[in-house]
């Protein structure tokens, strides 16, 4: 099991994830990497720093339970993530129906077939400092590569499947 994985920005929303012997291309936020103190809700920046891997969520109707030592659980159709600054459950999972602004974890596309919850702004939480920072599957932009994320780290499905067996509860992601 790896103790550290590193994300190295390569300009704009592109980066490289280094995990032991693996070198994997990744998509970053549309605003690139932003400093810890500069990160704000909705800014499209991937936060710089050391982010613990809290656990894995996966779509049981689309993928098998993955081989990993990360704590993991199946996503249900009513699983949401609150992204409403000011709400008492800001940057936490919630269940539908939920009145405040939120993101659906059960999506129509494949982006959240695997979602690694990253420890950003969660212990402690600060209102408006960013929510739902995950490592998930990338959206393709055709020949140009990956589409940017809203602040997450995204990689190809086959790369995620190679990476997950190397991860455990002691693994942290270091975003440079």
């Amino acid at each position: 099991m790896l103790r550290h994985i590193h994300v190295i920005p390569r300009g704009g929303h592109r980066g490289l994830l280094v995990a032991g012997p693996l070198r994997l291309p990744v998509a970053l936020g549309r605003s690139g990497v932003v400093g810890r103190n500069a990160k704000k809700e909705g800014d499209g920046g991937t936060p710089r720093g050391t982010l613990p891997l809290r656990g894995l969520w996966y779509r049981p109707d689309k993928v098998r339970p993955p081989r990993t030592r990360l704590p993991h659980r199946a996503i249900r159709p009513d699983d949401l993530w609150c992204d409403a600054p000011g709400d008492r459950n800001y940057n936490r999972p919630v269940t539908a129906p939920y009145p405040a602004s939120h993101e659906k974890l059960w999506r129509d596309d494949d982006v959240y077939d695997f979602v690694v919850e990253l420890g950003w702004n969660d212990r402690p939480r600060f209102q408006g400092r960013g929510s739902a920072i995950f490592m998930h599957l990338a959206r393709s932009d055709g020949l140009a590569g990956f589409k940017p994320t809203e602040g997450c780290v995204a990689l190809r499905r086959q790369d995620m499947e190679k990476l997950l067996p190397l991860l455990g509860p002691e693994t942290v992601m270091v975003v440079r």
Side-chain angles (χ1 to χ4, degrees):
M1 178 183 60
L2 296 174
R3 302 218 18 107
H4 297 90
I5 58 177
H6 298 269
V7 174
I8 304 163
R10 293 287 191 229
H13 71 274
R14 299 175 193 276
L16 182 70
L17 187 144
V18 178
L22 300 177
R23 305 289 183 268
L24 308 171
V26 294
L28 302 173
R30 68 180 185 277
S31 301
V33 174
V34 298
R36 290 186 71 83
N37 295 329
K39 178 71 183 140
K40 303 281 185 245
E41 185 69 40
D43 66 1
T46 300
R48 177 177 287 117
T50 301
L51 311 176
L53 278 55
R54 301 287 189 215
L56 171 73
W57 302 60
Y58 67 94
R59 281 284 299 264
D61 61 321
K62 296 170 109 181
V63 297
R64 290 180 295 192
R67 287 185 27 241
T68 187
R69 284 178 256 176
L70 285 171
H72 55 280
R73 83 180 228 12
I75 298 172
R76 298 181 308 254
D78 61 348
D79 283 328
L80 311 170
W81 198 273
C82 180
D83 59 7
D87 189 84
R88 66 185 178 88
N89 288 312
Y90 175 65
N91 199 27
R92 287 188 178 156
V94 293
T95 304
Y98 198 75
S101 177
H102 58 268
E103 186 171 340
K104 292 180 181 180
L105 297 182
W106 187 279
R107 294 174 54 137
D108 292 333
D109 61 17
D110 298 333
V111 173
Y112 284 179
D113 287 0
F114 293 114
V115 178
V116 177
E117 180 184 337
L118 300 176
W120 170 255
N121 192 30
D122 62 341
R123 298 178 190 168
R125 288 177 300 138
F126 295 96
Q127 297 296 318
R129 293 291 301 275
S131 64
I133 302 298
F134 303 134
M135 179 170 61
H136 59 69
L137 301 181
R139 292 177 293 150
S140 175
D141 198 11
L143 296 176
F146 300 139
K147 289 184 178 180
T149 71
E150 294 299 314
C152 298
V153 175
L155 56 161
R156 295 182 297 225
R157 177 184 302 273
Q158 63 267 29
D159 291 342
M160 179 74 86
E161 290 171 346
K162 289 178 197 172
L163 181 62
L164 286 174
L166 304 176
L167 306 178
E170 295 85 27
T171 307
V172 296
M173 175 184 287
V174 179
V175 180
R176 298 184 187 172

